[in-house]
Amino acid sequence: MSSDFERADDVRMDVGALFAALLSRALRIVLVTVLLLVATAVILLFVPKSYESSTSLLVEPRNNIYTRAAIEAPSSGSAVNTEALMSSQVELIKSRDLLLEVVDSQNLRSVPEFANAGFSPLGLLLRLIGRGPEPRSVDETVLGNLADRLTVIRERDSAVISIHVRSSDPELAARIANAIAAGHVKRRAAQSLADTADATVWLRQEIDKLRTEVKAAETAVANYKVDNDLYVGSNNVSVTDQQLSVVTTQIAEAQQRKNDAESRSKVIRGMIASGQSLDGVNDVRNSVVIQSLLQTKANLQADLAQKSTTLLSNHPTIKALKAQIGELTRQVAAEAARVADALDAEAKVEAGLEQRLRDDLSRAKLTAGDATKGSVTLDGLAREAKTQRDLLESYLAKYSDATSRTASNAALPDVRIVSEAAPSVEPAAPKIPLILGAVGFVALALQGGAVLMGELMSGRVLVERQRVADVEAADERYEAEAPPPFSGNDDIDDELEQAVESSLAPAPRPAAADELAQLSAAVSAHQLRTVLLASLDGGAEPLMVIDRLLEDALMAGLSAVVVDAGSGEPSAAPGLTDLAAEHADYGDVMQRAGDNLAEVPWGRLDALDRRSSRPLTMVEALADIYHVVIVDTGRVGLASNLPLFSGARASVVLVASSDSNPVAVGAARRDIAALGFEVGRVVSLPTARANVA
């Protein structure tokens, strides 16, 4: 058994051979498929066609006061569950009573399609074993066939119900669908009328009760007003509030008059005390006596002025006139004092009136407090009476509408027809294009599967994996060794032409030891800081170069680091492949190898991610830290990792053997130049030494 599994693992499936097998049998597959399609089409021609018609109903609850009176009165009312309402409507449409009405209206008992019992494989099987179903009545048979051909569904997220009816006669299918919709609307209207009639009776009883309650409530309001003197004026303000307003206004007016009289009296007395003239005071000038005295005083002053022109001041006439004027002044002051006394008396009268009004205000406030307390009870009685009155008026309006609706035998059901069914032109079944497409697909799939399975079972499409691997390896070697097309590098082209013309003889070059010594001297002299080693043959030559460069650099006291970017041999410690795959950080891949010496191994992964820029970043950072950075990029070609370091400030050294083909050397230099590098040196090492190493 194990040998069979090992043999199965050593072979693989040839996809090209599979497609070739399918193409070789394509004509037969197409002919068989066409024959099956023709046979299916012929069979479908004899299959009875079924036509489907549909009508739509909109379920829209009407907010009619007469249809909801009996429901809203005993409870507070709740939102209608749309889902439950739609489900109820669907079940009502499929109810036995409604379908019987449609059977009677459309005379379906005489239609063979509905009156005859259809073929049932289960019934035939039961009859064969002697357990046939019990015979059914004509109504049961018709109802069963109608229910089988009836589909009632709710449209998605809407209040529309669609009624689908299938029949071999498109006209009959449309008539049945419309009859079911019309019958359902009629039944809902009749139920609405029945609800309205029941509501009318209930409303009549409630109205009689409410009339008595409203009368009692309004009588209680009136009696409470009379008993507590809570009368309301014409402006809808209570009498007590009106009295408070009037008394408050009178108090303000009396206080104003008192203050006015007192201030005028003080002014007059102040002027008398200071000896000022009282001619400019209105209260003094309004006095008749003072007016007479002032007129006489004015006449005497005129005589005095006239006499003073001819007589001296000590003349008896002058003295007599002055004496008379002084006497008149004293009389005016005395009369002004009497005016001030009158104003004081007026102020006292107003003060007494103010006090009496304040007493009246206090009594009115006590009365208003009692009235306010009583108004709370009165407002409660009024609200109760108003509530009863509003409810009575609402019931009266509902009763009037319900009575008129019932008398006219009219109702608004909660469903309406939004689209009527029309005879269908295209049959709903059988779906000929769909069936033919399915038959063609199945025929093609089965035939193609049979061909593929036959090829696999025969083993004609199975080949050995080793053979395929050998062919692929040969193709890869050919592609790797074949020189790429020239890109126009004149120096390299000249060198290649010279090598070919000299029968592949290389141009005179320094000895291998001298080339390596010159490279090591340049590194030790700190002329080359970053060296990228590219191997031509992929042998041990790069290791020899690395050992020589490290030895000379360390002897010169320089710090060096070696980066393995070309061996392809996984290491135990994290390395460059882990860094490129972001499985390790920069500090994790640095491994100390001694004083002034460090290395970056290949890493734990098999392949290096060439899309990552982290290796280039690390090499540039190491060049700033170490004196010498040596990077082994592996063999030149498609698998070389040299493109990872494109753009680095480094010198590329091509390492080859002494017997390397100059054409291959030139091709390698062209590849390196195509990446943007300049081949600074070419180091050729003896083959024997490489093998020994």
Side-chain angles (χ1 to χ4, degrees):
M1 181 66 68
S2 61
S3 61
D4 294 338
F5 283 114
E6 293 175 356
R7 184 180 179 185
D9 293 336
D10 293 337
V11 297
R12 60 176 290 183
M13 183 174 60
D14 189 354
V15 179
L18 288 177
F19 281 107
L22 286 175
L23 291 177
S24 64
R25 297 170 177 82
L27 182 59
R28 188 191 67 183
I29 294 174
V30 172
L31 289 177
V32 173
T33 304
V34 171
L35 291 177
L36 287 176
L37 291 176
V38 172
T40 304
V42 172
I43 294 174
L44 291 177
L45 292 177
F46 295 96
V47 175
K49 294 180 176 58
S50 176
Y51 296 87
E52 184 178 74
S53 298
S54 64
T55 183
S56 299
L57 295 176
L58 175 63
V59 180
E60 185 181 25
R62 313 291 182 88
N63 295 324
N64 297 318
I65 55 174
Y66 50 87
T67 57
R68 296 186 179 273
I71 299 177
E72 293 177 355
S75 63
S76 60
S78 59
V80 178
N81 190 332
T82 304
E83 296 293 336
L85 177 61
M86 300 300 293
S87 300
S88 300
Q89 294 290 341
V90 170
E91 295 301 324
L92 287 175
I93 293 173
K94 296 190 295 185
S95 63
R96 177 185 176 86
D97 295 339
L98 178 58
L99 294 183
L100 277 177
E101 293 179 3
V102 174
V103 168
D104 294 335
S105 63
Q106 300 299 320
N107 194 19
L108 297 182
R109 295 184 182 88
S110 60
V111 179
E113 180 183 359
F114 293 92
N116 298 333
F119 172 75
S120 174
L122 179 60
L124 178 60
L125 180 61
L126 292 177
R127 282 193 294 270
L128 291 176
I129 62 176
R131 295 181 177 273
E134 297 181 359
R136 297 190 302 176
S137 62
V138 177
D139 289 344
E140 294 294 336
T141 302
V142 174
L143 289 176
N145 291 331
L146 179 58
D148 293 339
R149 291 165 173 78
L150 173 65
T151 303
V152 182
I153 59 173
R154 175 195 176 188
E155 299 298 334
R156 180 188 296 272
D157 297 333
S158 66
V160 176
I161 295 178
S162 297
I163 302 174
H164 301 269
V165 178
R166 296 181 303 276
S167 175
S168 58
D169 184 2
E171 296 286 345
L172 180 60
R175 290 201 307 271
I176 294 175
N178 291 329
I180 293 175
H184 180 63
V185 173
K186 181 179 179 181
R187 289 189 67 195
R188 293 300 298 164
Q191 292 172 354
S192 179
L193 286 175
D195 294 341
T196 304
D198 296 338
T200 304
V201 176
W202 182 85
L203 284 172
R204 178 72 267 176
Q205 299 173 356
E206 293 298 318
I207 288 173
D208 294 339
K209 295 178 183 178
L210 284 175
R211 282 174 175 170
T212 304
E213 294 176 0
V214 169
K215 182 178 180 180
E218 292 179 348
T219 301
V221 172
N223 292 337
Y224 190 83
K225 287 183 178 180
V226 173
D227 295 340
N228 295 274
D229 295 333
L230 299 176
Y231 299 103
V232 179
S234 58
N235 55 353
N236 202 23
V237 179
S238 64
V239 176
T240 303
D241 293 341
Q242 292 179 356
Q243 290 178 351
L244 286 174
S245 178
V246 172
V247 170
T248 302
T249 303
Q250 291 177 353
I251 290 174
E253 293 175 352
Q255 188 175 10
Q256 182 180 3
R257 290 193 298 270
K258 181 191 73 173
N259 294 335
D260 185 34
E262 288 178 349
S263 55
R264 286 186 293 172
S265 174
K266 289 180 181 180
V267 170
I268 293 173
R269 292 185 187 279
M271 296 180 69
I272 293 174
S274 61
Q276 297 179 3
S277 175
L278 300 174
D279 297 346
V281 180
N282 291 331
D283 293 327
V284 174
R285 295 179 61 182
N286 291 335
S287 174
V288 177
V289 176
I290 292 176
Q291 290 179 358
S292 177
L293 292 174
L294 291 176
Q295 182 65 35
T296 303
K297 180 180 177 180
N299 295 332
L300 291 175
Q301 288 178 344
D303 291 341
L304 177 62
Q306 184 178 4
K307 298 293 184 179
S308 296
T309 57
T310 57
L311 299 176
L312 296 175
S313 60
N314 56 359
H315 192 273
T317 303
I318 298 299
K319 292 181 178 179
L321 289 174
K322 291 182 177 180
Q324 291 178 1
I325 292 173
E327 180 63 24
L328 289 175
T329 301
R330 287 191 295 274
Q331 291 179 2
V332 169
E335 188 63 26
R338 286 193 291 273
V339 172
D341 293 339
L343 291 175
D344 291 338
E346 182 180 354
K348 291 180 181 180
V349 171
E350 295 296 336
L353 176 60
E354 179 184 0
Q355 185 60 39
R356 290 192 299 274
L357 289 174
R358 290 187 181 278
D359 295 339
D360 294 341
L361 179 62
S362 299
R363 289 190 296 271
K365 286 182 178 180
L366 294 176
T367 304
D370 297 337
T372 301
K373 296 178 182 179
S375 64
V376 175
T377 305
L378 178 62
D379 291 341
L381 294 174
R383 282 195 301 270
E384 181 66 22
K386 185 177 183 303
T387 301
Q388 297 292 337
R389 169 60 65 182
D390 293 342
L391 184 59
L392 176 60
E393 292 177 355
S394 175
Y395 279 12
L396 286 173
K398 293 178 180 180
Y399 179 77
S400 176
D401 291 339
T403 303
S404 61
R405 183 65 63 181
T406 305
S408 60
N409 195 23
L412 295 175
D414 55 357
V415 291
R416 65 180 71 180
I417 299 176
V418 294
S419 66
E420 294 185 352
S424 177
V425 178
E426 297 292 334
K431 298 288 187 181
I432 296 178
L434 182 61
I435 295 175
L436 292 179
V439 170
F441 175 77
V442 172
L444 292 175
L446 291 178
Q447 294 181 83
V451 172
L452 297 179
M453 186 59 66
E455 293 295 322
L456 292 174
M457 295 300 293
S458 64
R460 289 190 293 268
V461 296
L462 300 178
V463 296
E464 296 182 357
R465 292 182 179 270
Q466 185 61 38
R467 182 181 177 186
V468 177
D470 294 341
V471 174
E472 293 178 351
D475 293 340
E476 292 179 358
R477 288 197 301 271
Y478 175 77
E479 293 177 357
E481 295 177 358
F486 297 117
S487 59
N489 192 316
D490 297 337
D491 297 337
I492 299 176
D493 291 344
D494 294 341
E495 183 178 348
L496 289 176
E497 291 176 0
Q498 293 174 5
V500 173
E501 291 174 357
S502 60
S503 300
L504 303 181
R509 292 179 297 181
D514 295 338
E515 294 175 351
L516 185 56
Q518 293 176 4
L519 176 63
S520 179
V523 171
S524 300
H526 211 204
Q527 296 177 359
L528 298 178
R529 300 201 58 177
T530 303
V531 179
L532 303 179
L533 297 180
S535 175
L536 180 62
D537 302 324
E541 290 84 359
L543 298 179
M544 299 172 60
V545 176
I546 292 174
D547 292 341
R548 175 65 180 274
L549 296 180
L550 290 178
E551 180 180 357
D552 294 344
L554 294 177
M555 290 180 64
L558 302 178
S559 60
V561 60
V562 180
V563 179
D564 183 4
S567 68
E569 298 177 358
S571 59
L576 193 63
T577 57
D578 302 285
L579 178 67
E582 299 185 1
H583 293 172
D585 205 351
Y586 293 96
D588 299 334
V589 301
M590 292 294 299
Q591 309 296 331
R592 300 289 298 179
D595 296 337
N596 295 332
L597 180 60
E599 66 174 345
V600 178
W602 174 261
R604 294 172 293 189
L605 302 179
D606 295 331
L608 183 61
D609 187 1
R610 299 189 180 186
R611 298 171 298 178
S612 176
S613 62
R614 292 165 68 91
L616 174 61
T617 304
M618 186 192 67
V619 170
E620 292 178 346
L622 291 176
D624 296 333
I625 300 174
Y626 291 86
H627 295 98
V628 180
V629 179
I630 303 174
V631 183
D632 181 11
T633 62
R635 183 178 179 180
V636 177
L638 298 177
S640 175
N641 291 324
L642 187 60
L644 279 172
F645 307 99
S646 178
R649 293 173 297 175
S651 178
V652 179
V653 176
L654 179 62
V655 181
S657 60
S658 58
D659 57 351
S660 297
N661 191 337
V663 177
V665 174
R669 295 184 64 182
R670 290 182 62 85
D671 291 341
I672 296 173
L675 295 175
F677 292 102
E678 181 179 356
V679 182
R681 300 174 187 270
V682 178
V683 177
S684 298
L685 299 179
T687 306
R689 184 178 179 182
N691 293 334
V692 172

